[in-house]
Amino acid sequence: DSVGTTTAVSPSAGATTTTPTTTAAPTTTAAPVPVLPAGAQIPPDAEAVALPSGSVYAEHDTTVMAFASRTNGVKQCPSGTAVGDACTIEQTEPWVSVGAIGGTFTDSQVDSAASFANPAGFGVLTSLAVTAATHGSGGWVAVGTASLWDSVLYYRTTLRAVIWHSPDGASWQRIDVRDIVGDTSVVLRGVEATPTGYVAIGEIAQPDLDAGPSRGLVLTSPDGVTWTKATELVRQWSVATGQVLVGDGRIVVTGVEYVCDAGASAMNS
């Protein structure tokens, strides 16, 4: 507080007296600091770091990988006649940025679409993309899908699953899932390391409706290079897998079963 004086005059004696006065100093009330649950504390902005753009991320120790699809300039246009600005569809290929958090990242190409053997009747490969990745005792493993059309008129589409293995993240080996399950439509959605190797999940017969209802697909590998079909997850109707979780000596696969009503006019999951 600040202290001042007030002067008063006595009418009887003509004397003056001085009385001290008090003025309150301004005060500021700080907003309360939010208390977050344990494990949910937000680090200061100074600790945030930028990572390369990617659709799939994987990490091990101090190494981080960011996978993304990049166009390669190969035009994939309806009717095959559009060129230049009139053609907006370009073939995509998988790339990866490898580095350490807070450090420098190096870009490299995971695979080339030009070397992928298209299945019979599907001559247009539109994309080759990574959908999930992980690190295990045998190195880095990524799974993904090749999307193909029957022609540049885009009447029918199909998918073929692909697995990539790398010991160091710099060079990648493609494992064609057709060598494991045959030349049928397959999509892989997840991969995780296990105590004995790796497990990958997805669906078989998706989206080829003439191949019957889709089934969940589980692949296993001891080293990331040699893969075996462990099982198919079959239900009455079509199955779509979600995640694969590994822990406590178990492997858990989540998913959805799509069910049509009696008149096939509605679908529930």
Side-chain angles (χ1 to χ4, degrees), residues 204-223:
I204 193 168
Q206 171 80 317
D208 291 350
L209 298 181
D210 56 356
S214 61
R215 293 96 63 193
L217 177 66
V218 179
L219 305 176
T220 57
S221 171
D223 54 10

Side-chain angles (χ1 to χ4, degrees), residues 2-130:
S2 59
V3 178
T5 58
T6 300
T7 302
V9 178
S10 173
S12 59
T16 61
T17 59
T18 300
T19 304
T21 59
T22 302
T23 302
T27 59
T28 301
T29 301
V33 177
V35 178
L36 301 178
Q41 280 70 22
I42 300 175
D45 290 344
E47 296 183 16
V49 296
L51 293 177
S53 176
S55 57
V56 174
Y57 290 89
E59 62 177 317
H60 174 66
D61 292 337
T62 61
T63 301
V64 176
M65 292 194 178
F67 295 86
S69 296
R70 298 187 184 182
T71 57
N72 60 7
V74 177
K75 303 295 184 179
Q76 303 282 21
C77 305
S79 78
T81 59
V83 295
D85 294 338
C87 179
T88 58
I89 302 175
E90 290 191 19
Q91 194 176 66
T92 62
E93 299 170 322
W95 284 67
V96 63
S97 297
V98 183
I101 294 179
T104 301
F105 281 77
T106 302
D107 295 349
S108 62
Q109 188 171 348
V110 175
D111 202 351
S112 170
S115 64
F116 187 84
N118 294 354
F122 294 89
V124 180
L125 174 61
T126 55
S127 70
L128 193 59
V130 172

